[in-house]
Every structure is written in C-alpha cells, then in structure tokens.
Amino acid sequence: MGFHTLYKFICQFFLTMQIVCGLDKVKLLNPPEEALPDHLLRILYSCDAAATVQLDCVVTFETGTVSTIQLRQWSCVPREPLIKTVKLKLPDWLVYQPDGIIPDYILLSCFLRATVRHSGSDETRGPSGSQDVAHLQPKPFFSRPVKQHQLSLSWSKQMLQLTQRFLQKRCPVEQETIHLLSTIYASTGEIFGITKTLDPYSNELLEHHRIKAIAFPWCELSLWIFVTRHCKEKLCGVFHHIDSHNNYATPALFLGQSGQLHIQISGFSEESSAFLSTFTVPLNKWCQLSLALRGKTVTVSLWFMHDEERTVKSSEHTLSHDVIFDDTEGYFVIGGGKFIQGVEGYFGPVVYYRNRIPHSTSEVVIPEVIKSTNLAGWLQNCKEFIFDITVKISGFILKNKQGKKESCFNVLHEWLEMGKQPPNSQCGLWEKAVPHRKIATQLAKLLVFKYGRTSVSPTAVGRALYSLSVHKMHKTSSTAAVRKILPLLLQAGCLADNLALHMSSVLYSTGLGVQKHPIKAWLLALLAAQRDNRLALLHLGHLHQQGLHGFPKDPDLAYAYYANIAKQTTLDRQNPSPQQTFVEAIYLNDDETLNIQTNKDHHIFQWLKLQARRGAAEAEQALARMLFWGQQGLSPNIQEAVKHYERGAVQLEDPVSMYDYGIVLLLGQGVEKDVPKAVTFLKKAVEKEFVPAMNALAWYYEQYEKDYQQAVQLWEKADSLGSPDAPLNLGVLHSQGLYPGKPADQYVAYKYYLKSAERAHLRGAVSLADVWATGIPGYVARRPSDAVLWVKWTAEHNGYLGRILRNALDSYLKSDMFMALLYYMMAAESGYAPAQFNVAYLCEQNSAGFLDRHYATNYMWRYYNLTIQSQNPDTYAFIRMGDLLYEGLDGRQKDYFSAAQMYSKAALSNNPQGWYNLGLLVEEDYRLPLSILSELGLSDLYHADTNLLLSTMYQRCRDSDNTDSYLPCSLALFHIFLQSFEGCHIASVIKVTIAVAVVATPTVFVIVLGVLRRRMYDQES
C-alpha cells in the first residue's frame, strides 16, 4: 500500500468519526391536529450511531391509565438527515365511531411521539436520544367517520357480540321494596323530620300497574317507633304525605295526646276521612306499626314485646269513598315537618312495600340495628339509677330539715377538695350505695346540705358529676385516667347531662383512653340528640352525611339533624347567653391569629380601651363586638358591651355603633327595651347611609307599624347595596303574600333566599335549604345533598359549638394539651373541619409525649384525612397527608402516587410546599404520572428532561406569595441549575476534546509519518 493511499484511508476514517460524534435529531414535520385515518406523516431524522427510530401514540384514558401504542419502527445509521414518509395507522377506537366491533373508550389526552433510541436505553428513565411530540385532539363521538368493515364476521363472533350487548342493555333493577330509613333516627319532637321522595318506574309495565293502582292502592307501610313521651300538642307527626299543593295526602299517620293513632286518608275531589286506632302506643318500648291499604280498606297494626311476650293489636276501617294514593307526587315525611311537630322518641327502620302486602305480624323480626343498640336496656338502667338517686336526695333533704348535718358534709367537702374518699363510718348506713354509685350519692348529699331542700334534683347531680369528671381529667391530663372517669360521665349522662353523653360518645368513637366502640358511641349520641343537644345533632348529621363507621350514608337523614341545629342557631343568635361563644375558625398553625387572642388583663384589650377613651370609633366597635359575642378569648358580657355601643352611638355618633345600640334597644338585649329610642338611633344611622340600619328600620316598619310599603322601599334599597338581610326579608314577604300589590309566589321567594344565602346570611341559608329539601313542583327540583351543605354551614355557627372551641383553645394556650385534644375532638367528631385539623396538628406536635406515639399517628391519619375532605381544607393538611402517605408509618405501605396527589392539591391551592415536595419526589427518581402533570398544567413536560421539570416546579415554588418559601425554593432551583450546568459542561468538554482529537490526529499522524519517512530516507542514504 502506497503512502498516499494510506493517508487517504486514515482521513476518511477520522471524517467518519466526526459524523459519529454528531447529535441525534428527529422532528415531526406535518403532524395532524386531530386523529385522522391514513394520514401521510413526514419525519425528519438522523442519528450519531446505529439506532432505531420509533413512532408511538400515547393515550391517557378517563381512568387515569396511560397506554403507549407502537405505530412504526425503522433503523437509523449515521449519515446526513433523512425524511421518511409513513402512513399513520392509528387505532380504530381513536379514529372511528364505536359500532360493537370497535370498542368505546373515553380519552383524556393523546399525542404522537417520535424517538431515536439506542440499544440498551431504559424507557422508564426517559428516552436516551432525541424525541419530538405532537398533540392530537380526539374527535367528538359523532364527528368521527363510520368504518366500513371489509371482512364479514363469523356467526359465533356475531352471536357473542349480540349476547354481550344484550347483557349490557338489560333492564335496570326496579325497587318494589323501598327502605325509606334503614337505621335509627332520634326525634326531638320539633318540626324536623326525614323527607323522602319516590320516582316513577322506568319499566313501562310496572309504571302502568302503578298508575292503575292510584285509585285502588294495594300497598303497605311498616315502621319501627320508640315513643318516650306522648304528644304535648293535639297531634304529632309519625309519617305523613304532602302533595304538590302542600296538602296532606294518603297516608297521614299521627299520634294523639292519649297515645292513640290518628289516620287520615284522602280521596277524589278533596274528600278525605280520618279515624282513630282502637289501641294506644306504649311508652319506652320498640313497636312496629304497619299501615296496609287494600282499596277502601285500611288496616293499622301494632306489634311489641311485653314481659317477653309478643303483643299484637290491630284496627281496621273501611272507607265510604275511593282512596287516592300517588306515591310519586309530593314527598313523604318521617317525624315532624313544616306543618306539624314530630313524636318525641326514636324511629327505627321504615319500609314501604310499593305494590304488595307481605307483612304478617306472626313473622315480625326485630331489626338487627335495634337489637345491637339496646336503647331500651340503657333507658331501663337509667330509670333505676334516677329512682335510686331521687330516694337518696329525699332522705338527705329530710335529714337537712331535721338539722342533722353531722360531720358528713365537712368530710365530703374535704374529700372533693383533696380528691379522696371519706371513711364510711362518718355516714349513716341508709346512705350507703353500691360501689359504682357511691360518688353520685355523696355528691347528692353535698348539694343538699349546701343548697337546701328544694333546689337539688337528679339533673343537678348529673351536672355535678360532669364537672367533677372534667376536673379529674384536667388534673391528670392523660389517657390513663379516662377509663376510670368514664363511668362517672355515663352516670352523669343517665342523669340528663347531655354534655356528658356527648363527651362519652366521643371517647368511644375515637378510642381515646378506652376501647373503641362505634355502637356505644352512636347510642350515646342518639340519647343526647333526642334531648336536643346541639353537638350531638351535629355529630349525627356528620355521621350520616359521610357514612362513617359503617353507618349508612343518607343525605335526607343528615339534613334532618343539621336542619334542627341550623334553625336553633338562628334563634340562639337572637338570645345570646354565657354558655355561647362566637364560633371562630382558628387553626393552631396560624401564629398570627393565636397572638391576637386576649383577655381583660391582656395588653391588646387594654390598648383598645385606651384608644376607645381617646375617641377611636373602631376601637369602641371592636370592644363591643368582642364583649357581646365573646370573641378573641373574652367571655361574653352583654351589659358591658351595651355600654360601649352607647358610648360609640351617643358620644362618637358612629353609624356602626348607632346601629348596634339601636338593635339591642329594639330587642332588649342587655338593656331595657326602648323601641322609640331604638328607632331614633336607627334613623340616624340610615341618614349616614349605613346599610344594615336600613334593613333594621325596615324590619321595624313591618313588625311594629305594619307599613309594608315603607319596609319594601328600604329593603329594596338595601338589597341593591348588597345587604344579606334584605333579600331574605323580601323573600319572606313574597312567600307569605305580604309584598304590596303581588300575590304569594314561592319561586320568587326562593330566588331571594338564594341571593341571601350566597351573601352568607344564616337564615337565608336555612330558608334556601328548606326549599331544596322538598323542591317546588314545576320550578325547583329537590337537591337534598346541596341542602345538607347549607344547613351544615349554618349549624357550624352555633354558639354552643363555639363554647367547646373556646374551651379547647384556652386549654391549648395554657399548655393543657390533653384537655385541648379532648375538646377539639368533641368538635371534630361533629364534622367541624378546623377542629379536625387541630386534633391532627396536636397529635403531630405531641408536646411532651402526652399521647402514645401509635395513637398519635393513627389520629393524624384519621383527622388529616377528614380535613382534606371538607369544603375548604387547610392546605397544610394536604402536605401532612402527603407526608404520611410517603412515609407509610406504622406498617402502612408507602404510596408515592397518593402522596403526589396530595402535594399537587396543595400546590394548586397556592401552597409552595406542595411544589417543593413534588420536586423532591422527582429528584428521588419518581416519575410523576401524566394525570398529575395535567392537573398542574405541566403535561408538556411529561417526556421532558428531568432538570427542566424540576426547574419549572421550583420556579413556581419560589414565585409564590409566601415570602418564607423564597429562600429554600431558590436554593433548590440553584442546585438544579448547577446540576444542569455541570452535566452540560462535562458533555461539552468531552465533545470538544474528541473533536480536537479527531481533527488533530490526522495532522499529527502525517507529521509522524513524515519524520519516519525522512529517517528511513536518511538511513537509506
């Protein structure tokens, strides 16, 4: 081989090396915008080594599943860039209409991806070469072409498809046995009950038979009831039917004062009949009532257990007119309703047999939910306990009357002070009680000797037991003492202390210091709710709204509980008391809010007083508001608040104070009622264009002067200025037909209620929910789930809930973490989201280890999880829930996907920690799913370089409104920048070095050859 030939070969070799060191390249030149059949796609590509070019279609389905479909693949060798044209063969289900052969899939996104892949590349770590992506927009169903199939199907395949299609389109199940209530409902005897409606049959044949049976009904209603007291009014609601004109329809079942049932049946032309049962409903026993309609014949039956024997009673009545019963018109009510109060007691399962009468009294079986609860057993034990305490109170009163105080009082008083038990020798033998009732007996004795003869009752002993229990728990501040104190709480509940019942229910529900027992917790909540305890009503409403602890999820039942406390909340607001405190949504991680909590000796309160004395109207307003409602740590003091109202109104002529002072004068709250003086101040406030005063003055004209014209003018003006009160009052006028010149119009009233509720008015929300609970035929459909949300929101403004929250916060500020946890749990189990958050936060902090670590972790899981399900969750809860899922504590499996979902929700709620934690997940080589990136608006970065994705996330973290996040997010962003720079720098150095080597080597080689050749020539010479 000659020298020149060798030199040419070497140069070609190194030129080839230069090509190899070039960059990969691929680009989709003409991608379609929509998924089209047989599109000719042109692809530009090149590679720096032997590789494969692959064309994929990546699809995300509605379920969140991501599927990658390979369309084409071909080899690539190092050379100049080439353009290849391929016919795009997309899946039929992406291009054509479903037709039985082509399946029907619901897609979220779709894109084409061309990739240069080298051998040994790992797809899960991202492509090793170049890539290009083009998004495809899936066509709407009816815009797609219909595919003409070329091949005929085999007979067996056709039959298989027909069979599958038939199975998919079989007729739906029609319920002929309808369970209107499947659990127990505690009825307070007020105008609240469970509203239910029925829909027509979907099946034409069944619907034909139903319509035909309207004039000749053949059906039965079966319900379980436990009556604790006969009706105080003439009649009380058991079960009734309201038609579309708000009239009673068939059937209407009431309970009279005597205990007899009152049955009312309607016929044609507003003809109706009513009759009484021949039997009475017994008290304090579970009874099954059944009402059977057989055309004109009505049969009412009663079944109950008496002395372990079955007792059956029945009444039958034949009507003189035809019976009309359309079960799809109007609505049914279990218990009380808009027009009648309910029975005091409990309702068990209620079943309606729509077109048959299966019931037989000889086959009655007590429902499992009634047997497991054992309500009758609890009440019987309490009855015996109350009788025992009553006898002892009578004995102590007699002893006190005789002047024989002896030393028992002194010893007992010392025992209560020191927490010790007095020796038995100090008291008479007749006073001795069974061991578990000894404390209650001694408390009864103390109360009698301290307060006299007549002021002591079993209820007073119950309150004392509750106070003693709370005192003991506060003193010990640990879960170890709960098991010993719980019997005292249960006894206090027996003696009618509802707070004790609710606290006991919470302890059993959460397992704080005792074994968790959901059935007992539910029983105690039912007992407290039936006695109208606000927190228990909230608790049961929350239980059935969410379907917790295995209890049925029933929005109608939840609404019955929430509506009760919501209505009372609007009344409680008009009658403030020391037992109520304004509800403040305070989160324990909010240091700014915690720092403004005050008391009468605190510097904030003293500073406000100083500013008020100097004539600052805002300070006068703040002091009055804090004292009137009990805000920011102060106890309510209405009389003191009125003084600040008066000073602001008279001396400062402040329109806000004029309005507030006028209101308390008008209602006589904390001051003697003075209507003329109130009107004077209200008019002065109106002259200064203070909108709430316009509403109050209009209310005066309506209530006192009956001047509806003047009232409407003021309310219309206030409404136009954004008053939440005005639309409510205008709605009431339209509802009652009192609006001047206009008839009653429930739909117009509804629109005003909606406006008032949207402006955050409590009574407006209750009125709106009342409409949504039943609907307005032809105008407004029933919306029970939405109605629940409005009454829940109103109920959570109740002052008695505020008192519990204030107790919890006071305990926290005093570093009594156990009592803070207990009080917050009482509110948390009632569904109040800030309290749920605070329970989880306390358990997370677990100061001084006051709670076992295992319990603390479980409570964090439970209550952070409940918090994030609320309407407006705190974003910190998303972060901590994500951390728990990421860490997988206490044997739980780590769940990176769910953790990423939590972090993304926090990020979308403008919490920079969410972006930061997502970045940490990505840095740990976790590939975020496309569904999460789509929610974050980062779907374009699904196949991008990891550093680019991280840079985007940390930039959003840095650029948030939270100044505390700027530094850590900037450092994280700088770290990613350094990583990118380092990688690029090293790659550049290597490529430059190779390029220099490739270019320089031939020259060096030629020089070396020249030197060698010269030496060879010299040697030859």
Side-chain angles (χ1 to χ4, degrees):
M1 184 188 310
F3 173 76
H4 293 288
T5 304
L6 178 62
Y7 180 78
K8 182 179 179 182
F9 174 77
I10 293 170
C11 290
Q12 288 178 344
F13 171 77
F14 283 107
L15 285 173
T16 305
M17 288 295 296
Q18 285 181 284
I19 294 174
V20 170
C21 292
L23 297 176
D24 295 330
K25 184 176 183 180
V26 65
K27 185 172 181 61
L28 302 171
L29 297 178
N30 63 332
E33 294 183 358
E34 297 180 331
L36 301 175
D38 300 332
H39 176 78
L40 296 178
L41 179 64
R42 298 171 68 233
I43 303 172
L44 174 71
Y45 69 95
S46 66
C47 51
D48 60 7
T52 301
V53 181
Q54 184 170 311
L55 179 64
D56 298 322
C57 178
V58 182
V59 180
T60 304
F61 297 95
E62 184 186 35
T63 58
T65 306
V66 179
S67 178
T68 301
I69 303 145
Q70 182 177 319
L71 302 179
R72 290 291 299 273
Q73 182 176 319
W74 63 93
S75 61
C76 173
V77 295
R79 65 175 67 179
E80 295 81 5
L82 297 177
I83 296 178
K84 184 178 182 66
T85 302
V86 297
K87 183 180 287 187
L88 203 56
K89 290 289 186 181
L90 295 172
D92 287 347
W93 45 264
L94 188 59
V95 178
Y96 299 102
Q97 291 188 20
D99 58 3
I101 300 174
I102 299 173
D104 185 8
Y105 295 128
I106 300 177
L107 310 178
L108 293 180
S109 66
C110 173
F111 60 87
L112 294 175
R113 181 182 65 197
T115 311
V116 176
R117 295 189 178 278
H118 297 279
S119 60
S121 62
D122 184 2
E123 185 175 352
T124 61
R125 293 288 181 183
S128 61
S130 177
Q131 70 165 359
D132 191 22
V133 173
H135 286 271
L136 293 180
Q137 181 65 36
K139 276 192 171 185
F141 173 80
F142 291 107
S143 299
R144 300 181 192 178
V146 177
K147 183 171 184 178
Q148 302 297 325
H149 298 284
Q150 300 299 319
L151 299 176
S152 59
L153 300 176
S154 64
W155 178 86
S156 60
K157 189 169 184 179
Q158 285 183 340
M159 293 305 298
L160 180 61
Q161 291 177 352
L162 288 173
T163 304
Q164 291 174 343
R165 194 179 310 170
F166 174 77
L167 291 175
Q168 290 173 357
K169 297 184 178 180
R170 64 182 185 273
C171 65
V173 176
E174 300 277 7
Q175 296 294 336
E176 297 182 86
T177 301
I178 300 173
H179 296 268
L180 299 176
L181 179 65
S182 58
T183 183
I184 297 177
Y185 166 57
S187 174
T188 60
E190 298 170 285
I191 56 169
F192 308 105
I194 304 170
T195 302
K196 293 288 184 179
T197 56
L198 300 180
D199 296 323
Y201 286 115
S202 300
N203 182 277
E204 294 182 3
L205 181 60
L206 289 176
E207 181 62 11
H208 170 75
H209 286 305
R210 188 194 68 79
I211 294 174
K212 190 175 179 180
I214 289 176
F216 195 87
W218 195 274
C219 56
E220 180 175 306
L221 175 73
S222 169
L223 64 86
W224 288 84
I225 190 169
F226 189 101
V227 182
T228 56
R229 181 189 296 179
H230 287 315
C231 190
K232 292 181 288 187
E233 305 295 329
K234 185 177 180 180
L235 292 175
C236 291
V238 176
F239 184 94
H240 56 278
H241 183 194
I242 302 295
D243 66 15
S244 56
H245 303 289
N246 285 332
N247 297 319
Y248 287 115
T250 303
L253 189 62
F254 307 107
L255 186 67
Q257 292 175 322
S258 63
Q260 289 179 289
L261 291 172
H262 175 99
I263 301 95
Q264 184 170 311
I265 306 295
S266 302
F268 288 105
S269 303
E270 298 183 358
E271 187 178 12
S272 62
S273 299
F275 63 94
L276 295 175
S277 65
T278 57
F279 53 82
T280 59
V281 178
L283 295 178
N284 299 316
K285 292 182 183 295
W286 276 112
C287 307
Q288 187 195 49
L289 295 175
S290 62
L291 175 68
L293 297 177
R294 298 178 175 88
K296 295 183 179 181
T297 304
V298 183
T299 305
V300 183
S301 302
L302 173 71
W303 181 98
F304 62 94
M305 295 291 292
H306 181 66
D307 293 335
E308 298 185 358
E309 292 186 1
R310 294 171 178 255
T311 301
V312 180
K313 297 183 179 181
S314 181
S315 290
E316 187 170 288
H317 192 83
T318 302
L319 305 176
S320 58
H321 58 81
D322 291 331
V323 176
I324 298 299
F325 179 34
D326 184 354
D327 58 12
T328 63
E329 185 190 19
Y331 56 91
F332 299 101
V333 179
I334 302 169
K338 294 180 181 179
F339 312 109
I340 194 168
Q341 293 183 341
V343 170
E344 289 189 52
Y346 305 87
F347 287 90
V350 179
V351 181
Y352 169 47
Y353 301 94
R354 202 166 188 181
N355 58 359
R356 60 194 182 96
I357 302 177
H359 182 68
S360 173
T361 53
S362 60
E363 301 173 358
V364 173
V365 177
I366 299 175
E368 184 61 32
V369 66
I370 291 177
K371 289 191 291 186
S372 62
T373 308
N374 194 22
L375 172 67
W378 166 274
L379 292 176
Q380 181 60 36
N381 290 336
C382 284
K383 184 178 179 181
E384 296 172 2
F385 180 43
I386 292 170
F387 177 78
D388 184 34
I389 290 295
T390 303
V391 169
K392 286 183 168 51
I393 289 174
S394 300
F396 292 137
I397 290 175
L398 180 62
K399 192 172 186 178
N400 187 31
K401 186 177 180 180
Q402 295 171 351
K404 298 180 181 179
K405 296 186 180 181
E406 347 177 303
S407 60
C408 273
F409 169 75
N410 296 328
V411 173
L412 183 59
H413 182 72
E414 291 175 4
W415 166 71
L416 287 174
E417 292 294 328
M418 299 171 58
K420 297 180 180 180
Q421 183 175 343
N424 292 332
S425 59
Q426 294 288 333
C427 305
L429 293 175
W430 70 273
E431 303 174 28
K432 288 185 177 180
V434 292
H436 63 276
R437 295 180 181 175
K438 187 174 293 184
I439 295 177
T441 301
Q442 292 165 338
L443 274 176
K445 183 174 184 178
L446 171 64
L447 293 173
V448 168
F449 284 125
K450 186 174 182 180
Y451 295 107
R453 308 173 186 175
T454 58
S455 59
V456 179
S457 65
T459 303
V461 177
R463 287 195 298 269
L465 272 172
Y466 174 72
S467 299
L468 178 62
S469 302
V470 173
H471 173 74
K472 283 178 171 287
M473 280 193 283
H474 172 73
K475 192 173 181 179
T476 55
S477 288
S478 70
T479 57
V482 173
R483 190 179 299 273
K484 298 178 180 179
I485 296 170
L486 183 58
L488 298 181
L489 284 173
L490 295 174
Q491 290 177 12
C494 255
L495 298 176
D497 189 275
N498 297 327
L499 276 175
L501 283 174
H502 179 64
M503 183 178 284
S504 303
S505 173
V506 169
L507 292 173
Y508 276 125
S509 177
T510 60
L512 182 64
V514 295
Q515 186 175 358
K516 189 180 287 189
H517 202 309
I519 297 297
K520 276 188 179 180
W522 183 47
L523 168 63
L524 296 170
L526 286 170
L527 292 164
Q530 198 279 322
R531 298 173 186 172
D532 217 14
N533 177 260
R534 272 73 161 175
L535 291 176
L537 291 167
L538 261 179
H539 174 50
L540 291 173
H542 175 61
L543 194 72
H544 292 292
Q545 183 201 15
Q546 299 292 334
L548 302 175
H549 306 306
F551 294 102
K553 184 177 182 178
D554 187 341
D556 294 317
L557 178 54
Y559 178 82
Y561 287 123
Y562 278 135
N564 190 330
I565 183 175
K567 182 77 69 157
Q568 292 187 82
T569 298
T570 61
L571 298 175
D572 291 340
R573 280 288 186 95
Q574 299 173 14
N575 299 285
S577 66
Q579 289 75 36
Q580 300 184 64
T581 301
F582 188 83
V583 175
E584 297 175 280
I586 299 175
Y587 291 84
L588 296 183
N589 66 334
D590 185 357
D591 294 332
E592 184 178 347
T593 303
L594 292 177
N595 290 334
I596 65 172
Q597 300 305 303
T598 183
N599 55 58
K600 286 192 174 184
D601 298 324
H602 197 273
H603 67 274
I604 294 179
F605 186 80
Q606 296 300 324
W607 181 83
L608 285 172
K609 289 182 69 175
L610 176 62
Q611 294 302 309
R613 284 196 295 269
R614 291 178 175 177
E618 293 82 2
E620 205 73 77
Q621 295 168 18
L623 286 170
R625 184 187 67 249
M626 291 161 62
L627 288 166
F628 190 89
W629 296 108
Q631 293 179 341
Q632 291 182 227
L634 294 178
S635 298
N637 189 333
I638 298 175
Q639 287 75 19
E640 189 69 23
V642 169
K643 294 178 182 178
H644 289 283
Y645 286 145
E646 182 180 12
R647 189 158 47 243
V650 177
Q651 298 179 12
L652 305 179
E653 296 186 350
D654 172 43
V656 178
S657 298
M658 287 178 179
Y659 162 73
D660 289 326
Y661 188 49
I663 291 295
V664 296
L665 286 170
L666 197 62
L667 301 177
Q669 294 177 333
V671 67
E672 187 176 349
K673 191 173 183 177
D674 191 335
V675 175
K677 189 175 181 181
V679 173
T680 300
F681 280 104
L682 290 175
K683 286 182 176 179
K684 288 182 178 180
V686 170
E687 290 173 359
K688 296 192 176 188
E689 295 294 316
F690 189 61
V691 176
M694 297 177 190
N695 183 79
L697 189 59
W699 183 83
Y700 162 78
Y701 282 124
E702 182 217 4
Q703 293 291 320
Y704 287 88
E705 301 291 340
K706 303 301 179 184
D707 187 348
Y708 297 108
Q709 194 70 43
Q710 184 71 18
V712 165
Q713 288 180 1
L714 286 167
W715 275 329
E716 294 283 8
K717 183 178 180 180
D719 180 31
S720 66
L721 295 173
S723 168
D725 297 88
L728 168 67
N729 292 311
L730 290 170
V732 171
L733 291 184
H734 281 287
S735 175
Q736 297 178 355
L738 297 176
Y739 194 98
K742 294 185 179 181
D745 191 327
Q746 302 305 319
Y747 181 64
V748 174
Y750 157 74
K751 290 192 289 186
Y752 276 113
Y753 296 153
L754 178 60
K755 186 189 295 186
S756 177
E758 288 175 342
R759 293 177 182 175
H761 194 280
L762 298 184
R763 284 182 57 209
V766 172
S767 300
L768 174 65
D770 191 42
V771 174
W772 278 350
T774 59
I776 301 177
Y779 295 94
V780 181
R782 274 195 85 219
R783 297 171 61 176
S785 297
D786 292 329
V788 166
L789 295 178
W790 279 111
V791 288
K792 180 180 188 292
W793 173 77
T794 305
E796 289 179 347
H797 287 78
N798 190 270
Y800 292 92
L801 172 64
R803 182 72 263 169
I804 292 295
L805 293 171
R806 172 50 55 185
N807 291 342
L809 186 59
D810 287 344
S811 298
Y812 177 77
L813 295 176
K814 295 174 183 176
S815 299
D816 188 351
M817 298 304 170
F818 177 78
M819 290 306 297
L821 177 69
L822 179 57
Y823 283 126
Y824 274 130
M825 275 185 170
M826 292 175 70
E829 289 299 297
S830 299
Y832 188 61
Q836 293 172 341
F837 176 90
N838 289 341
V839 170
Y841 186 79
L842 282 171
C843 295
E844 178 188 345
Q845 302 299 312
N846 200 14
S847 301
F850 77 97
L851 204 59
D852 179 77
R853 189 189 66 83
H854 175 72
Y855 280 110
T857 304
N858 285 336
Y859 289 145
M860 285 169 60
W861 275 92
R862 170 176 165 75
Y863 288 103
Y864 275 137
N865 191 28
L866 288 172
T867 302
I868 64 176
Q869 297 176 45
S870 60
Q871 281 186 284
N872 298 301
D874 189 282
T875 56
Y876 182 83
F878 285 125
I879 298 297
R880 291 303 296 128
M881 198 67 210
D883 293 344
L884 290 170
L885 291 163
Y886 171 80
E887 294 164 1
L889 300 176
D890 283 354
R892 292 179 173 89
Q893 188 175 2
K894 293 185 177 183
D895 188 346
Y896 292 156
F897 175 73
S898 298
Q901 283 184 315
M902 294 296 106
Y903 296 146
S904 66
K905 290 181 183 296
L908 292 172
S909 300
N910 297 320
N911 188 323
Q913 185 73 45
W915 291 110
Y916 189 85
N917 288 10
L918 285 171
L920 293 179
L921 279 177
V922 174
E923 287 195 62
E924 293 183 9
D925 293 332
Y926 176 71
R927 189 172 186 180
L928 291 177
L930 182 60
S931 58
I932 291 179
L933 289 176
S934 298
E935 288 180 4
L936 297 170
L938 302 176
S939 57
D940 293 342
L941 301 179
Y942 180 63
H943 290 289
D945 180 69
T946 300
N947 287 340
L948 178 59
L949 177 60
L950 286 170
S951 299
T952 305
M953 289 181 170
Y954 288 140
Q955 281 177 5
R956 295 192 180 186
C957 174
R958 180 198 62 187
D959 297 340
S960 67
D961 297 333
N962 190 333
T963 56
D964 293 337
S965 66
Y966 184 83
L967 181 59
C969 296
S970 297
L971 290 174
L973 187 60
F974 183 66
H975 172 67
I976 298 304
F977 172 75
L978 288 179
Q979 281 187 333
S980 302
F981 178 77
E982 181 182 357
C984 293
H985 180 68
I986 292 174
S988 300
V989 169
I990 292 174
K991 289 188 177 182
V992 169
T993 304
I994 294 175
V996 171
V998 169
V999 173
T1001 300
T1003 305
V1004 173
F1005 189 72
V1006 169
I1007 293 172
V1008 171
L1009 283 177
V1011 172
L1012 292 175
R1013 186 178 180 183
R1014 180 174 295 178
R1015 286 185 178 180
M1016 291 173 62
Y1017 179 77
D1018 292 340
Q1019 289 176 358
E1020 291 176 357
S1021 300

